[in-house]
Amino acid sequence: MPAMRAHSSVERRTGVRRMRLLSAAAAICVLASAGGAAPILDPAHITEQTLDNGFRLVIKAEQQWGLASANLIIRAGSAYEGEGQTGAAHLLEHLLFEATDARDDQRIGPAIESMGGQINAVTTRDFTYLELTVASQYLDEALALLAQAVFEPQITSVAVVREREVVARELTDRLDSAGGALDDLLWASAFSVHPYRRPIGGRPADVTDLTAEDLLDFYGRYYVPANMALVVVGDVDAAALGTRVAELFGAHTGAPVALPEIAPEPRPTDVTVAVDTRPSAATIVSFAWLAPEVEDFDEVCAMDLIYTVLGEGRLGRLHAALEEQDLAVMSDVQYLTQRDRGLMIITALTAPDKETDVRTAVLAEIERLRAEPLTQEQLDEAKRVMRISYAFSNESYSDQAGSLGFYEGLGDYRLAVEYIDRLDAVTPELLQQVAIEYLDPDAYTLAIIRPEPRPGTVEEARATCARLSVQG
């Protein structure tokens, strides 16, 4: 993700469970350095406070480098958009960058960059956040700009018209890609009730219909201090920073926010298949199952270990079942922890004539997880891999601020601190129980991107297979 104003509908990788293969040498270094050391997100270094207006502050003071990273989280994701407001959360995120530095009239992005820093903003389904990193001596100025961005946004008709054109072009470009089209097709098919079904940034037509009044309504409901949190990690004096944050963010008022009660998505009882075509020589198949929400954190940790067993690069079961059998060019496993039940996703890129074989092989691995509990040795290996990934993904101050901020956005930063202990507590029995509860080989969503039929040809029909539900 680019550092400067890389507006994107894609959630940050903090909290997104994606597989990466770490070298044996790197793994040994991490494990050796971790032995007997304090945890990376050491609670002894973390302080927190809630200002009188409800604004939350979490600080992890470190003196290793003369840098500071800050994440400002607003619980204003796309799931909370009202009727006729689809795309408002992401468009509003764009408009936050209209804030200017009163000293030289620079917008917030170039102003932070002139300090030698970097800034970015991202909209997710559950929250929006701005993240920045600067040398510690510039943190005061950077936070002042951050406060200005969220409390004095330039939501004017002129600005909205300009930015919605930019966003609509971004969304059009995304839909022109097979990956973007597949993602939207999968989420829209997997959810029938819950607003997670909508694309995070909306669709081009949704965005071009948005007005300044729509954005002001969304802003007024959610951009209030009691719905915000600031996480700072780095070379700072926690007491002095707390005083400064109270000056910058504590004077603003706003009624406490009661986030909307969203009806849970019903459990699927059958297989839903959605198909699109693209000018391509390959087929992409993507399975999705409803997966644990953040409130069920022990189940979240178990699902993390499941995706590790399935998708840990060349060591994962799917690689052995698909790539090593020459059924797929690549496979990928994703699981994003969200406030409500999200999706566990398995994707494979294959030749059109191998589609059915790939689908059968994936479902066979799902059935294996349900039928055969992991041995303690297999589970310990998966936990070792996750500990290494956790260490690497929390190396920098910005990574740590991202981890703490991600879980604060979902409810409580402490989940990031407790993560390894909760992961270590998962048993083979719990993992199998979670696989049985969530990964039903007869009830899931399947999105497929197939090559467009050549002129004069008819697309081959796909026969239904018994038991493993290879339908469509």
Side-chain angles (χ1 to χ4, degrees):
M1 184 181 298
M4 293 302 301
R5 201 181 175 182
H7 300 287
S8 171
S9 296
V10 180
E11 282 93 345
R12 70 172 292 123
R13 293 176 71 92
T14 301
V16 179
R17 319 299 195 210
R18 283 186 185 271
M19 295 292 85
R20 63 181 75 167
L21 182 64
L22 301 174
S23 70
I28 291 170
C29 289
V30 170
L31 292 176
S33 63
I40 297 171
L41 299 178
D42 187 352
H45 289 190
I46 299 175
T47 59
E48 62 174 293
Q49 67 182 100
T50 301
L51 305 183
D52 291 342
N53 61 2
F55 186 89
R56 292 264 301 149
L57 174 62
V58 179
I59 303 171
K60 181 174 182 280
E62 298 284 356
Q63 279 74 48
Q64 188 172 0
W65 304 297
L67 299 171
S69 294
N71 268 42
L72 180 60
I73 304 101
I74 308 101
R75 296 182 184 92
S78 62
Y80 302 126
E81 293 163 346
E83 187 69 29
Q85 292 183 334
T86 301
H90 183 231
L91 182 56
L92 181 55
E93 172 222 304
H94 270 244
L95 292 173
L96 298 181
F97 281 80
E98 296 294 305
T100 57
D101 188 339
R103 297 168 303 177
D104 51 17
D105 207 33
Q106 283 194 102
R107 291 185 179 174
I108 184 172
I112 297 295
E113 190 175 29
S114 70
M115 302 173 193
Q118 57 186 25
I119 186 171
N120 189 27
V122 176
T123 303
T124 76
R125 293 177 175 87
D126 295 310
F127 55 85
T128 296
Y129 68 88
L130 293 88
E131 58 181 358
L132 61 82
T133 298
V134 293
S136 299
Q137 63 264 36
Y138 297 120
L139 181 62
D140 188 297
E141 298 172 44
L143 291 181
L145 287 171
L146 210 54
Q148 182 184 347
V150 295
F151 290 125
E152 303 173 32
Q154 301 302 304
I155 306 176
T156 65
S157 295
V158 172
V160 169
V161 169
R162 180 179 62 249
E163 286 302 318
R164 73 187 184 191
E165 292 177 359
V166 173
V167 172
R169 285 197 299 271
E170 287 181 0
L171 296 174
T172 299
D173 290 344
R174 180 176 177 275
L175 289 175
D176 285 341
S177 71
L182 178 70
D183 188 63
D184 284 2
L185 182 65
L186 185 67
W187 285 82
S189 303
F191 291 92
S192 60
V193 174
H194 199 287
Y196 284 171
R197 69 185 182 276
R198 300 192 300 251
I200 293 173
R203 299 171 184 84
D206 298 323
V207 172
T208 54
D209 285 341
L210 289 171
T211 65
E213 289 73 23
D214 293 326
L215 296 189
L216 286 167
D217 177 73
F218 186 81
Y219 174 84
R221 281 189 288 137
Y222 297 111
Y223 277 67
V224 296
N227 201 38
M228 298 179 181
L230 179 68
V231 176
V232 179
V233 177
D235 185 9
V236 298
D237 179 294
L241 178 59
T243 299
R244 182 55 174 154
V245 167
E247 294 171 354
L248 292 171
F249 295 88
H252 299 273
T253 59
V257 174
L259 294 176
E261 288 294 327
I262 299 175
E265 183 67 24
R267 294 261 187 165
T269 57
D270 203 346
V271 178
T272 298
V273 180
V275 180
D276 196 1
T277 59
R278 294 275 157 167
S280 169
T283 293
I284 311 175
V285 296
S286 196
F287 295 79
W289 287 267
L290 288 182
E293 61 195 277
V294 70
E295 185 175 299
D296 299 320
F297 200 63
D298 291 330
E299 293 184 351
V300 166
C301 293
M303 189 62 80
D304 281 352
L305 290 164
I306 286 174
Y307 94 77
T308 304
V309 170
L310 289 174
E312 176 48 40
R314 294 181 180 274
L315 303 178
R317 290 181 176 183
L318 285 175
H319 183 85
L322 299 176
E323 285 97 322
E324 290 184 11
Q325 302 303 316
D326 198 29
L327 293 180
V329 177
M330 59 77 65
S331 61
D332 181 55
V333 182
Q334 301 177 34
Y335 167 49
L336 172 68
T337 308
Q338 299 194 141
R339 183 170 182 256
D340 298 329
R341 285 182 176 172
L343 295 179
M344 169 74 164
I345 300 172
I346 296 174
T347 303
L349 178 69
T350 186
D353 62 346
K354 296 180 179 179
E355 178 193 316
T356 300
D357 291 337
V358 165
R359 291 161 59 179
T360 300
V362 169
L363 292 172
E365 290 302 327
I366 293 299
E367 185 62 44
R368 179 183 172 192
L369 276 170
R370 291 162 54 93
E372 303 173 10
L374 265 63
T375 65
Q376 190 61 52
E377 182 180 3
Q378 290 170 331
L379 182 58
D380 289 344
E381 175 63 15
K383 290 177 180 180
R384 184 187 69 85
V385 170
M386 287 303 300
R387 283 193 292 269
I388 293 169
S389 180
Y390 176 88
F392 271 81
S393 64
N394 283 289
E395 277 189 298
S396 69
Y397 290 164
S398 60
D399 290 336
Q400 294 176 34
S403 292
L404 295 167
F406 177 85
Y407 285 109
E408 182 68 16
L410 295 179
D412 193 337
Y413 77 89
R414 293 175 185 82
L415 293 175
V417 177
E418 299 170 0
Y419 181 77
I420 292 299
D421 288 340
R422 301 283 286 270
L423 189 83
D424 283 340
V426 174
T427 63
E429 293 77 18
L430 176 59
L431 189 143
Q432 185 181 29
Q433 176 186 323
V434 168
I436 292 171
E437 180 179 354
Y438 290 96
L439 305 180
D440 188 340
D442 292 312
Y444 57 89
T445 299
L446 179 65
I448 309 171
I449 303 290
R450 291 173 179 153
E452 291 181 344
R454 294 188 299 275
T457 65
V458 178
E459 185 179 1
E460 175 189 358
R462 302 303 199 271
T464 299
C465 299
R467 180 65 190 99
L468 288 180
S469 303
V470 182
Q471 302 175 14

